[in-house]
Structures are given as C-alpha cells and as structure tokens.
Amino acid sequence: MSYKVEDKDNKQENDLNKIFEGNPDIDFKQIEKFNVKISKIKVKNKRGEKLLGKKVGYYSTLELPKLTYYDANMMDKISLMFGDVLKEFISMDSDKTALVIGLGNWNVTPDSLGPKVISKLFVTRHLKEYMPESIGSDVSSVCALSPGVLGITGIETSEIVKSLVDRVNPDYVICVDSLAARKVSRLNTTIQVGSTGINPGAGVNNQRTPLNEETLGVPVIGIGIPTVVDALTIVSDSIDSILRNILKDVDEEYIEKNFLNNNKMEIIRKNLSLCMGEMIVTPKDVDAVIESMSKMIAMGINIALHPNLDMDSLNKFIN
C-alpha cells in the first residue's frame, strides 16, 4: 500500500488566524465559500518549519461538508474551487507539459484514489504530438500514469517516475495519493495540496523515496485525501472525547497538559499494539467515497491544467 500520512497540523483545532497573525515565519489565510473552508499556508523558513511541522513551501486544505460525495451540485462547486486552488501552485499554458502520477494500489479500494483519478483525466500529450490539427491551441499538454506499488511491480515508484520525468521533461509533476488520517474527523473530509511533493507509504510506516523537486528535478505538487485511519488514532480520539466529556467543567489547558499529553499515543501503542496496532480502518461506504472524490480531484486537475477550457468543455472531452 502507498498511503502517505497527512500533513501535520497540531494547531488545527484552534483559531489559526489569531495564532499566526503577524507571524514573520508563517503566512496564513482562511476563507469559506459554499460551506467549504479553504486554508492557505506559506511556511517561509526553518523557524516556520519547526513551529508548524511542515517543510518550507505552500499548502492549501479544503475542508468539505459531510456527505459531499452524495451531492452532485456540491461536487461540481468543489471541483471548481479545487481547480482554482491548484492554479495557485501551477501556471499552465499550451506550451507547457504536466505529468500526473496516480499513486496507490488499484486492487485495494481505499488506496485506489490515485489510479481512479488518472482514469478520469483529459490527457492530451499524444494528440498534441501526433495529431495537432485535431485539437485546439487552447489545450495544454498533459500525460498521466498509475505506476502501481512495489509489491505489484517490483519497481520502486520513484524509479518509474524519475524515468518518466527524464523522458517526458514536464514542467510540473502532480502526484495524487490516499492519505492516512491523523484525526478521525478528517477522514474523507479534506483535500490537501502541497508544493513540497509527497512521501509514498509514510502513512503505514513504509517509507519510500520521496517524490519532490529535489529527487525529480521539477516542481512537484502533492494532492491527497485521508481515506484510512490507524486503529490507534481511533482509540486516541475516543479517549480525548471521553475525557473532555467527563472533565467538561475543567479548564481545557489543564486537560491538555495533564491528560492529553505528547506521551499518550506511545502509551496507547504499547498497550494495544498486540491486538490492533497494525490495523488500518476505512469507512464502510469507501467505494462511493473514492468514486466521488476521484471525480472531484480529476475535474479540478483538468480545470487547472487546461485553464482555457471551462467545465462544460472538459466534460465533452472526457465523457
């Protein structure tokens, strides 16, 4: 499996606008539209890295309303918003080429987000190269691949992608992957974008060579959705909820300091590792979730990579 652990955001439960207001190391902006909260963060330097737990770069997170994946109108709105967010990370035109990589195992439903996104993209590099007269000048050059996972191919994903980059010479690489959620509440409810690439397998302690600008030589944008959660995280979140309800009249800072400390996860891991430490959990409706989420991600990517085409035009090409 290729799950990457979702980006750290230890302060996500607090008012980040107040926390980072005037901070010289981190820029933070948050907007809300159609009940979708969009957070944008720029980590400027090493001090910002230490404060937030993220590498220097740009990050955006879309927090979706619950059951979005059953609402077709909402899915269209999110596709447009996601496409606009992605445009802030890339600047495409008809002379540029983008390579989209769908990470994950297509045989495992919650890990199949990347491959499913690839199947819904408007790929055009072959048309622009071999049949330029059949496609308008407004269309950008896009190619895509689902490289599979090491257990299926016997080849490291980084080796496959690096070979492609050397051959295709794209201006951008976009990697799409399933994530392992850090909190149960984030499961299937966030779309995360980052300019620092992606680490396949990190979410299940299966570290692989990262896919980023340092390893590939071109800008790499990582896109992910938390589709699974570690059983230990479920236990940890349950304990948090129980303690807060039992101690609801006690000062929140006191609870954090004395009960929800940094050693909590390690204590849980030691006590439960024999029975559920390696268990990865996903919702029962994961099939519907992955199908809907992959459509939103794919359309958002199509919108960003073909900025001269609107959603109606794109639907004509890919349906």
Side-chain angles (χ1 to χ4, degrees):
M1 296 185 183
S2 67
Y3 306 110
K4 170 192 178 290
V5 68
E6 68 168 328
D7 290 325
K8 293 181 180 179
D9 191 355
N10 296 326
K11 299 177 177 60
Q12 65 186 1
E13 301 299 328
N14 301 314
D15 188 343
L16 292 177
N17 280 303
K18 292 181 180 178
I19 292 174
F20 296 127
E21 185 177 4
N23 190 303
D25 308 314
I26 295 173
D27 286 339
F28 177 81
K29 180 181 180 182
Q30 194 171 73
I31 60 174
E32 188 167 340
K33 187 176 182 181
F34 300 120
N35 290 323
V36 177
K37 188 183 294 183
I38 304 175
S39 303
K40 301 178 182 181
I41 297 175
K42 178 183 179 182
V43 180
K44 298 180 178 180
N45 50 42
K46 293 295 182 180
R47 291 193 302 272
E49 283 188 354
K50 186 175 182 180
L51 178 63
L52 199 60
K54 295 183 179 182
K55 293 182 179 180
V56 171
Y58 298 89
Y59 303 88
S60 291
T61 300
L62 287 79
E63 299 179 40
L64 315 182
K66 289 186 177 180
L67 302 179
T68 291
Y69 35 89
Y70 291 118
D71 187 336
N73 290 330
M74 193 65 196
M75 287 172 59
D76 284 345
K77 292 175 182 177
I78 290 171
S79 294
L80 288 168
M81 284 187 278
F82 173 58
D84 287 340
V85 167
L86 194 54
K87 287 178 183 178
E88 297 175 5
F89 288 78
I90 60 177
S91 178
M92 284 293 290
D93 58 46
S94 58
D95 296 323
K96 292 182 179 178
T97 297
L99 169 63
V100 186
I101 301 296
L103 299 170
N105 187 341
W106 48 76
N107 295 318
V108 180
T109 302
D111 197 28
S112 65
L113 176 69
K116 280 190 173 290
V117 167
I118 296 301
S119 70
K120 298 174 175 62
L121 291 180
F122 180 34
V123 292
T124 56
R125 180 173 176 267
H126 59 308
L127 298 175
K128 291 182 74 71
E129 185 170 350
Y130 299 113
M131 302 170 58
E133 71 283 352
S134 68
I135 195 165
S137 58
D138 289 340
V139 175
S140 304
S141 177
V142 177
C143 51
L145 180 75
S146 300
V149 293
L150 182 64
I152 292 177
T153 65
I155 308 172
E156 287 282 2
T157 301
S158 58
E159 293 179 296
I160 297 173
V161 178
K162 185 65 169 70
S163 298
L164 274 174
V165 169
D166 291 343
R167 177 67 180 87
V168 174
N169 193 28
D171 296 278
Y172 299 100
V173 173
I174 298 174
C175 296
V176 184
D177 200 5
S178 300
L179 308 179
R182 288 187 176 274
K183 296 186 78 64
V184 175
S185 61
R186 298 172 71 83
L187 201 57
N188 298 322
T189 61
T190 63
I191 301 174
Q192 301 177 17
V193 189
S195 66
T196 56
I198 205 160
N199 281 25
V204 288
N205 298 316
N206 190 15
Q207 295 280 358
R208 300 295 178 198
T209 302
L211 302 175
N212 53 36
E213 187 165 4
E214 288 73 29
T215 60
L216 299 182
V218 296
V220 180
I221 295 89
I223 300 171
I225 293 176
T227 61
V228 299
V229 63
D230 190 327
L232 296 180
T233 299
I234 297 175
V235 174
S236 175
D237 285 1
S238 299
I239 291 174
D240 289 358
S241 178
I242 292 169
L243 283 172
R244 285 194 170 97
N245 278 286
I246 292 175
L247 305 172
K248 58 185 176 182
D249 295 326
V250 179
D251 181 76
E252 183 74 17
E253 186 175 342
Y254 179 84
I255 296 175
E256 291 286 344
K257 182 178 179 180
N258 293 278
F259 298 99
L260 309 181
N261 53 54
N262 293 331
N263 296 324
K264 180 189 59 175
M265 281 298 290
E266 188 58 33
I267 294 171
I268 295 172
R269 190 178 302 278
K270 286 180 179 178
N271 283 275
L272 299 182
S273 59
L274 293 177
C275 62
M276 64 171 62
E278 300 301 323
M279 186 180 296
I280 299 294
V281 182
T282 194
K284 63 181 180 180
D285 58 349
V286 65
D287 302 76
V289 171
I290 292 296
E291 183 63 28
S292 296
M293 291 293 192
S294 64
K295 288 179 180 178
M296 288 187 286
I297 295 294
M299 180 54 73
I301 293 174
N302 287 331
I303 289 169
L305 296 187
H306 303 285
N308 295 319
L309 300 179
D310 57 24
M311 186 179 286
D312 290 336
S313 300
L314 288 166
N315 279 324
K316 292 177 183 178
F317 282 113
I318 60 180
N319 287 341

